Amino acid sequence: MNRRFDTVVIGGGIVGSSAAYYLAKAGRQVVLVEKGRINGEQSCRGLGVIGTQRRDPLEMALMLDSLDIWRGLENELGDTVGWKEQGQVSLFSNDRRRRRSEAFMAVAKQFGLTTQLLGPNEVLGLLPYPQPEGGLGALYTPADGSADQELVATAFARAAACHGAVIWENSAAHSIDIWGEVVCGVDTERGRLGCQNIVVAAGCWTSFLLKPLGIAHPSLWVRGSVGRSPVLPYDLKFAVSCDEYAYLQGPDGRLNLAAVDATVHDLMLHSRPKLLRLHQLKQKKIKLELGKPMVRSLMGDFNDFVTHRTLDPAPHFKGLKRAAAAFNADHPVIAPIQYERSWAGYMDYTPDGLPIIEAVAEPKGLYVAAGFGRNGFGIAPAVGRSISEFITMGATNRDLSPFSSQRFRHV
Ligand SMILES: Cc1cc2nc3c(=O)[nH]c(=O)nc-3n(C[C@H](O)[C@H](O)[C@H](O)COP(=O)(O)OP(=O)(O)OC[C@H]3O[C@@H](n4cnc5c(N)ncnc54)[C@H](O)[C@@H]3O)c2cc1C
């Protein structure tokens, strides 16, 4: 089947779905192709925390745009996304984290954030079920929020369809076609799609799609794990993080607990040694593991876009156990956490932890939005809108040059 569209969006996570929504709303003929199901990979697997706290200043303007979108998103899409402005607390219990938190206050001031630096007694007064000790203190940002990661990308895709976008699931894009110096189509499982613009929002798979075009996308797959408790008869109020765990309670009372110290890169055939060194230098918390994923990559499991319709890695059970033990020790009033279910997701990390969002210089008509690491859910709506502005107006009202892939040209 050969069909023509203005724009082909590759990837039905929150980034691709929001881009498709804003493009369709602007009247463009859009097709969103997803190799598995909409919202199957990273975008449905996180805690759903949306915030400014401890963000890189380079991302802040875009993140503030996104918060504005989040506040009105249910009205905009006519759908439920679970938005809640519950506030975010980052506890620190060592001097290194305290210094970083103090330094962040300058950023908070620069951008007019609601963030406050709390001492140990203020922390004890704020948290409903306080830790035995308030540690050294915390950053507290009342205006940070959250949404339900299981709902949002799908809501964007549904709303895009209402504006006329075509949504194709189980439809992998195999390759990007170029004519001279411009893009002209995408070869997909359902045939060739002719187009003037292509948005690559393929998450972990972005480097595989761009490589044949001679474009390096220096991202590393990093596995994060989450466990969910049964309903807790307590209101834990805030999104909280510390060195061992991060948590957010759902509206049904279940607690999602992420294992912060079990963020790992599974060594595979496509783990480039130079990239690993760079990541290890900058993101010291990522540990390396050698296990089944290496065997699967040696067997060619990751050589195409259809063997893994939906990446579904195994959770890091030891890390989740440690996270539960740390949470239990910190919350003696609450009965010990036993997980009801657990899951993991691969995130795509660039060496500096910032995404790549750009209109590629050549081939023309190619746009990339990927490499969002552990923070992409919150910022995604503004990214989708910016990509749409790039395509429909030739520019965005935000300076996206800090997110150009040119910063990695020597990698
Ligand atoms: C455990 C965990 C916790 C997290 N917690 C948070 C949090 O609290 N707050 C926050 O802001 N962020 C969080 N994140 C990060 C956030 O989820 C991601 O940054 C974000 O979802 C990235 O969205 P995406 O659309 O770029 O990628 P994805 O959701 O991975 O979407 C990419 C899509 O592209 C598809 N695709 C790939 N190749 C092709 C192809 N060739 N053809 C067709 N389709 C293709 C894939 O199947 C996939 O569906 C967390 C992530 C994890 C894993």
Side-chain angles (χ1 to χ4, degrees):
M1 187 202 314
N2 282 330
R3 285 181 65 178
R4 246 203 110 64
F5 292 87
D6 292 335
T7 305
V8 179
V9 178
I10 305 174
I14 187 168
V15 175
S17 299
S18 61
Y21 168 73
Y22 287 109
L23 282 162
K25 191 182 169 195
R28 294 294 167 123
Q29 282 182 300
V30 186
V31 58
L32 170 60
V33 294
E34 164 55 52
K35 67 178 168 55
R37 59 174 198 274
I38 299 290
N39 204 24
E41 294 197 342
Q42 300 170 76
S43 295
C44 72
R45 288 164 191 262
L47 288 185
V49 177
I50 294 167
T52 49
Q53 200 174 92
R54 292 169 65 215
R55 282 241 175 212
D56 191 303
L58 290 172
E59 279 189 317
M60 204 58 88
L62 205 55
M63 187 58 228
L64 288 169
D65 287 350
S66 219
L67 270 175
D68 277 345
I69 298 177
W70 280 109
R71 291 188 188 105
L73 194 59
E74 298 203 330
N75 276 343
E76 169 88 30
L77 303 182
D79 213 334
T80 309
V81 298
W83 163 254
K84 192 178 169 197
E85 196 172 290
Q86 81 289 321
Q88 192 179 172
V89 179
S90 293
L91 300 160
F92 47 83
S93 53
N94 61 46
D95 283 332
R96 190 181 54 85
R97 242 175 108 110
R98 182 180 58 191
R99 279 195 299 276
R100 280 178 51 200
S101 302
E102 284 166 355
F104 183 78
M105 288 309 291
V107 179
K109 196 170 166 209
Q110 183 190 346
F111 288 95
L113 309 181
T114 55
T115 309
Q116 305 156 29
L117 189 67
L118 306 182
N121 289 337
E122 290 164 298
V123 173
L124 290 175
L126 181 75
L127 293 179
Y129 298 97
Q131 320 209 335
E133 294 169 36
L136 292 179
L139 281 178
Y140 169 46
T141 309
D144 280 353
S146 64
D148 189 334
Q149 288 210 206
E150 288 173 29
L151 300 179
V152 184
T154 326
F156 267 118
R158 251 195 311 265
C162 290
H163 284 285
V166 174
I167 313 287
W168 281 352
E169 294 187 299
N170 294 314
S171 305
H174 295 308
S175 60
I176 290 168
D177 297 339
I178 294 169
W179 177 257
E181 292 169 2
V182 294
V183 300
C184 62
V186 177
D187 178 33
T188 79
E189 262 181 290
R190 296 211 198 178
R192 193 177 172 282
L193 301 172
C195 61
Q196 292 143 29
N197 301 296
I198 297 169
V199 179
V200 178
C204 289
W205 302 86
T206 301
S207 58
F208 296 73
L209 264 172
L210 296 180
K211 197 174 172 192
L213 307 180
I215 301 173
H217 177 77
S219 102
L220 197 71
W221 291 16
V222 173
R223 179 160 50 105
S225 301
V226 179
R228 180 170 290 171
S229 79
V231 173
L232 298 181
Y234 303 95
D235 178 3
L236 286 163
K237 274 193 180 167
F238 307 106
V240 174
S241 64
C242 62
D243 278 338
E244 293 88 18
Y245 56 81
Y247 70 72
L248 180 69
Q249 192 172 25
D252 62 356
R254 290 183 165 80
L255 188 75
N256 287 337
L257 194 68
V260 171
D261 77 342
T263 314
V264 298
H265 169 67
D266 293 309
L267 288 162
M268 298 188 216
L269 263 191
H270 58 264
S271 308
R272 285 169 45 208
K274 195 172 167 191
L275 205 56
L276 282 178
R277 274 197 301 278
L278 250 167
H279 274 85
Q280 289 243 288
L281 281 177
K282 303 248 180 191
Q283 320 256 357
K284 294 191 182 64
K285 282 202 164 152
I286 300 173
K287 295 169 187 153
L288 303 183
E289 286 200 2
L290 183 61
K292 278 187 192 151
M294 174 59 99
V295 179
R296 296 176 74 174
S297 73
L298 283 166
M299 288 163 64
D301 246 27
F302 302 102
N303 288 358
D304 59 40
F305 299 108
V306 294
T307 307
H308 290 278
R309 291 266 170 210
T310 299
L311 275 177
D312 189 20
H316 197 291
F317 293 111
K318 277 189 192 155
L320 284 173
K321 234 173 142 178
R322 282 199 302 271
F327 178 89
N328 294 337
D330 287 345
H331 300 81
V333 237
I334 300 177
I337 296 280
Q338 306 282 344
Y339 294 118
E340 205 173 67
R341 62 173 276 237
S342 59
W343 64 88
Y346 279 124
M347 302 169 265
D348 54 324
Y349 265 72
T350 64
D352 60 8
L354 291 172
I356 290 173
I357 312 169
E358 65 180 353
V360 174
E362 195 189 318
K364 296 222 174 319
L366 182 63
Y367 301 82
V368 177
F372 288 90
R374 65 187 164 86
N375 281 324
F377 179 72
I379 207 169
V383 174
R385 191 172 69 184
S386 297
I387 290 286
S388 161
E389 288 169 358
F390 255 142
I391 293 175
T392 54
M393 303 189 290
T396 71
N397 62 358
R398 285 283 166 227
D399 173 21
L400 297 183
S401 58
F403 309 117
S404 160
S405 61
Q406 285 305 302
R407 68 190 194 274
F408 300 123
R409 63 187 171 280
H410 300 303
V411 174

